[in-house]
Amino acid sequence: MINKDTIVSISVQDIYQHPDNPRKDLGDLSELADSIKKNGIMQNLTVLPGHWLTDEEWKEVSRKYQKESSEELRTLLNKRWTGEGYTLIIGHRRFASAKLAGLTELPCRIVEGMDKREQVSTMLAENMQRADLTIWEQANGFQMMLDLGETEERIAEKSGFSRTTVRRRLNIAKLDQKLLKEKEADDGFQLSLKDLYELEKVEDIAERNKILKEARNSRDLIWKASSAATEAARKKRAEPLIKMLEDAGIEKAPKKAEQEIYTLKWEGVKEYSLNHDIPKKLGISKNEKDKLYYIRHVNSIKVIKRAPKRKETSEDKKRREMDAKKKQIKSVLKEMDILKHEFIEGILSGKIPPVKETGPIREEMWKSLVEIGVYLSENGMQRFLTGKAEYECSPKEKEETVRRIEELDSFHQMMVMLGRCLEDIIWNVYDYQLHYSAGPCGKIKRAYAVLERYGWSFTEEEKQILDGSHELYVPERKE
């Protein structure tokens, strides 16, 4: 690269803004324009000989090329670059402000021999030293450097940011930029950098954009990102487990079995949770007479076999159909309860942002606890946090859980107890005849209203179960 130390005056008409300048918004130029009017340009611009064709110039060259074919036109058309004029490298705000102030010539230092990567790096470094770039501009600037052949390590060295920050900015650059700008401009959404970091937990870029598009607000985005990351982790555990099962001769259950799983036609053999590390061995004692199958549920993989046949009475059939419906409802509620537990843990850990006004929520929680009739105790909180009864916990688990409970303030202790009492009442949505139980369901909905303040949302089927409109319920006879 050759630098010309001499400062020369160049007409503003011959200077072009760099199309890849990381800074897209030059901000309010009025104050700088006023200063330039009074004092002139205090610092020269840095320019590169030649410029990329503007859109108007590009159209003109394209029209000319259709009429006449020449080597010069072909070069312009292929590279979109002409040796005429000068391209700005440093001083985009000064240039725009000077034009606003009415200046016709500007002092410039001309540099030669800079390739595209050096140009972008120089502009990034210049803007970052003045803290001029927004997060989104940094992200796209880093991506531009990466596309031009830089590595994360070299970008970090040149920009002065840590490799972690560079990597996170590059993750932001991978998102749908149009969608990102829409969410950023939506005052009701309140998109933050923390929200975008939450999206990093989701490995698939298409899924990140889907979450960003569908999220109603910041809290909803965090919840959706957390759920998607959890599901991705379950999928990763499921794949090797399914391979182990198939290697052992256990086949995927036919669709008919999936539909009949809650009937007397099938028996459960083994169930593996996908929320924890999978076992190294299946731990199944296989009878040669039994043909085993596996079914993938949201949170687990279940191994089943056909139940022994027996003559079914009309009462058996009625009870079987009733039990199957109850099991289907319980299956939905079980999934909802697991997600509720994860959601409250997210609130306790801070993954789900706190709500500013906690007074009304505290009052709602207290009313729900009183209405449900919960027994407030340390054991109850321990049961929720560990998922085990006290006698099932090791001394170390008890000690760690007690310490954690003591570190929680009263508001979050109430939140834990709300989660604990929902674990019991959730199963009271119907009576023994499978009639909808309006009383318990009303209490459940009022308790979940507290979580909705943090971004919780029900699936359509969960709503139907809680409002009594689900087809599995048995209608009550009207006398």
Side-chain angles (χ1 to χ4, degrees), residues 135 138 164-169 171-172 175 191-202 208 221-222 225:
I135 298 297
Q138 287 174 9
T164 299
T165 300
V166 170
R167 186 171 60 255
R168 286 186 151 175
R169 296 293 189 272
N171 274 325
I172 292 171
L175 295 169
L191 186 68
S192 70
L193 194 56
K194 184 180 178 184
D195 299 337
L196 298 175
Y197 288 169
E198 286 295 320
L199 281 176
E200 290 181 13
K201 296 176 181 176
V202 182
R208 289 183 195 176
L221 181 145
I222 291 172

Side-chain angles (χ1 to χ4, degrees), residues 27-207:
D28 184 5
L29 300 173
S30 56
E31 188 176 338
L32 183 54
D34 288 342
S35 174
I36 290 173
K37 268 185 185 178
K38 294 175 185 176
N39 307 307
I41 290 280
M42 305 298 289
Q43 185 180 0
N44 62 272
L45 312 178
T46 301
V47 296
L48 183 76
H51 73 277
W52 282 269
L53 298 178
T54 63
D55 289 341
E56 286 302 315
E57 289 173 325
W58 177 257
K59 288 177 185 175
E60 182 62 28
V61 169
S62 298
R63 281 196 294 267
K64 275 188 178 182
Y65 187 75
Q66 289 175 355
K67 292 180 181 178
E68 56 176 296
S69 179
S70 69
E71 190 62 34
E72 183 183 356
L73 283 174
R74 186 180 293 109
T75 300
L76 285 174
L77 197 66
N78 288 340
K79 295 186 177 179
R80 198 166 176 168
W81 172 264
T82 174
E84 298 176 359
Y86 299 88
T87 297
L88 261 176
I89 300 297
I90 297 174
H92 288 78
R93 287 194 85 239
R94 273 170 278 148
F95 173 69
S97 300
K99 286 178 68 177
L100 196 62
L103 273 64
T104 57
E105 290 189 342
L106 302 175
C108 300
R109 182 171 67 92
I110 302 172
V111 296
E112 295 179 348
M114 293 181 80
D115 62 22
K116 192 77 172 286
R117 183 166 61 186
E118 288 175 310
Q119 294 167 32
V120 174
S121 297
T122 301
M123 289 186 292
L124 270 171
E126 176 70 13
N127 282 291
M128 286 174 182
Q129 284 168 11
R130 292 180 168 86
D132 275 344
L133 295 186
T134 66
I135 298 297
W136 331 111
E137 288 169 338
Q138 287 174 9
N140 286 291
F142 289 159
Q143 185 60 52
M144 208 181 302
M145 291 178 74
L146 198 69
D147 293 340
L148 290 168
E150 293 285 14
T151 63
E152 285 185 14
E153 188 174 4
R154 288 208 298 264
I155 293 172
E157 289 174 3
K158 291 181 178 182
S159 66
F161 285 90
S162 69
R163 288 186 67 180
T164 299
T165 300
V166 170
R167 186 171 60 255
R168 286 186 151 175
R169 296 293 189 272
L170 289 170
N171 274 325
I172 292 171
K174 291 173 185 173
L175 295 169
D176 183 322
Q177 296 301 298
K178 183 182 176 183
L179 181 60
L180 193 59
K181 287 176 183 176
E182 287 175 4
K183 294 294 184 181
E184 186 189 7
D186 184 352
D187 292 335
F189 196 94
Q190 296 182 328
L191 186 68
S192 70
L193 194 56
K194 184 180 178 184
D195 299 337
L196 298 175
Y197 288 169
E198 286 295 320
L199 281 176
E200 290 181 13
K201 296 176 181 176
V202 182
E203 291 183 10
D204 184 67
I205 303 300
E207 183 66 20

